[in-house]
Amino acid sequence: MTSPVRTPASAATAVPAPASPADAPVPAPPTEKELLAFARAAAADAELVASLPLDPEGRTWLRLEGPAGSEAWLISWPPGTGTGWHDHGGSRGAFAAAAGTLREASLAVRLPTEGWKTLELADGVDRARELTDGAGRAFGPHHVHEVLNPSDSEHAVSVHAYYPPLPLMRRYSRTGAVLRVEQVELPEDWG
């Protein structure tokens, strides 16, 4: 039979004093993978998705609390509506379809974020995908794309998350291989 181990009083471990809020560790920013997991989980929440009012004339949205200080949105897409070409001002992000189908066209090229007005795109940079219920995708800070509900009769709904919260969005026009910056929108423009 073994005898119990006793710790001498002099060997007791000191318990640190509670940390003050200023000493609390700052949570790490969410990764693209975490943003995508959030978007997929929110897209699977039938009660949340059903809470979004649908408008046949235009997109509607609800702001959501994203992970670790990220910005998130639940967005409806009436038939035939889309975003046009845009970026996310250097934020990384993710989105997932909650209902219906969304078509994404994107560029597989890292574009400079500043200092240009018109670019000629090389051949082979275009990518396209369709996202249906639960399908999603994550993207980095240089992502340029457009998203469209291709249906002529059904709404689509999606969840989007960005980190850091969107500082701006650049809107582009595209004619063939030529991409042109048309407008820079700031958060106060989205009210």
Side-chain angles (χ1 to χ4, degrees):
M1 176 172 183
T2 59
S3 60
V5 176
R6 296 178 192 233
T7 305
S10 62
T13 305
V15 176
S20 70
D23 296 335
V26 175
T31 64
E32 292 166 22
K33 184 177 179 180
E34 290 166 333
L35 293 172
L36 181 56
F38 169 83
R40 285 183 170 147
D45 184 337
E47 187 176 329
L48 174 66
V49 173
S51 74
L52 181 64
L54 303 180
D55 180 343
E57 300 299 317
R59 292 191 303 159
T60 55
W61 53 86
L62 292 174
R63 177 106 190 229
L64 305 176
E65 190 65 37
S70 62
E71 177 176 2
W73 300 90
L74 177 66
I75 301 174
S76 77
W77 306 76
T81 61
T83 61
W85 288 95
H86 67 282
D87 70 16
H88 303 98
S91 294
R92 62 183 173 276
F95 70 102
T101 299
L102 290 175
R103 183 175 298 147
E104 180 196 33
S106 63
L107 301 175
V109 62
R110 184 179 174 143
L111 298 178
T113 56
E114 301 287 333
W116 64 277
K117 182 75 174 162
T118 302
L119 287 177
E120 187 165 346
L121 301 170
D123 290 339
V125 299
D126 288 292
R127 301 291 180 265
R129 71 180 73 212
E130 285 201 351
L131 302 165
T132 58
D133 299 357
R137 60 112 70 243
F139 51 85
H142 298 277
H143 190 63
V144 175
H145 70 166
E146 67 176 347
V147 179
L148 169 73
N149 175 0
S151 174
D152 59 4
S153 61
E154 293 182 36
H155 264 78
V157 177
S158 58
V159 176
H160 303 247
Y162 309 100
Y163 190 87
L166 297 175
L168 59 89
M169 288 177 66
R170 282 178 281 273
R171 299 232 173 244
Y172 304 96
S173 63
R174 182 163 180 199
T175 306
V178 177
L179 188 69
R180 177 185 306 277
V181 178
E182 295 293 342
Q183 181 180 8
V184 176
E185 295 177 359
L186 300 174
E188 55 267 22
D189 300 328
W190 305 325

